[in-house]
Amino acid sequence: MRELRVHKLVLNCCVGESGDRLTRASRVLEQLTGQQPILSKSRLTIRTFGIRRNEKISCHVTVRGDKAEEILERGLKVKEYELRSRNFSDTGNFGFGITEHIDLGLKYDPTTGIYGMDFYIVLKRAGDRVSKRRRCKNSVGKFQRVRKEDAIKWFQAKYDGIVLN
């Protein structure tokens, strides 16, 4: 009941512009996960970057279950199982980025190019649904919540990871 598990893995690939580069980045995410990515819009206009409000600039996909753990394993292998302590949030989630998607085991395609992406992992304990469900909703106890120290211990135990300062 107290052991941690991966609730979901969110892969984000921000291109910074709409058009052909964004569709190629979404194709990369689709090859990696086998799911259709969602396109995200910019919230405001930034003239120096050439971004307009409500322009599609990035794509992301949420993966759950065994597939999430498999993709997370490949991403951590790229980072050589080393993360910084600031990669972990106070609520027990953690994230990191990679610069080249071909390091994950995908074949390089010259027409697609090379894209970097962000990994964000949400860790939960069993029983978290109590706070989310519609009927008989209740708060999660403080010993059932995931903290930063719990997430770091889980990472070090499961993946023999190294957490740097």
Side-chain angles (χ1 to χ4, degrees):
M1 185 85 174
R2 297 261 307 142
E3 64 269 358
L4 289 174
R5 57 187 170 85
V6 176
H7 179 63
K8 64 181 173 181
L9 163 70
V10 180
L11 292 169
N12 181 40
C13 187
C14 186
V15 180
E17 62 185 59
S18 60
D20 196 35
R21 283 190 66 208
L22 183 60
T23 55
R24 289 191 303 225
S26 66
R27 199 174 322 128
V28 166
L29 282 180
E30 192 169 354
Q31 283 177 349
L32 183 63
T33 62
Q35 296 175 230
Q36 186 69 35
I38 306 294
L39 300 179
S40 302
K41 296 178 180 178
S42 66
R43 283 190 240 141
L44 44 102
T45 301
I46 304 172
R47 292 186 73 179
T48 54
F49 296 149
I51 297 173
R52 292 186 302 280
R53 187 172 185 267
N54 289 332
E55 181 182 13
K56 294 179 179 174
I57 58 169
S58 73
C59 53
H60 68 275
V61 63
T62 302
V63 187
R64 299 174 197 269
D66 295 333
K67 188 147 190 103
E69 293 192 19
E70 179 223 321
I71 295 171
L72 172 61
E73 179 82 37
R74 295 194 325 205
L76 287 171
K77 198 176 290 182
V78 172
K79 296 296 278 186
E80 296 172 348
Y81 300 98
E82 283 186 7
L83 293 178
R84 303 182 79 124
S85 64
R86 68 176 187 214
N87 287 23
F88 293 85
S89 73
D90 292 333
T91 55
N93 307 321
F94 66 97
F96 59 92
I98 61 167
T99 53
E100 297 181 355
H101 74 274
I102 54 174
D103 294 337
L104 296 171
L106 296 173
K107 293 261 313 165
Y108 173 69
D109 185 14
T111 59
T112 303
I114 294 178
Y115 293 97
M117 59 187 66
D118 300 320
F119 286 68
Y120 197 73
I121 298 89
V122 178
L123 297 176
K124 297 281 184 195
R125 284 196 171 100
D128 186 66
R129 184 177 169 266
V130 169
S131 64
K132 306 285 188 217
R133 65 190 178 192
R134 189 178 184 119
R135 185 172 176 267
C136 300
K137 190 180 285 194
N138 213 333
S139 63
V140 176
K142 74 174 191 180
F143 294 111
Q144 201 67 2
R145 290 193 184 119
V146 183
R147 295 189 321 273
K148 181 176 184 172
E149 299 81 34
D150 299 333
I152 290 173
K153 282 182 190 171
W154 176 84
F155 172 69
Q156 290 171 335
K158 180 156 185 174
Y159 295 108
D160 280 336
I162 302 165
V163 179
L164 308 170
N165 291 342

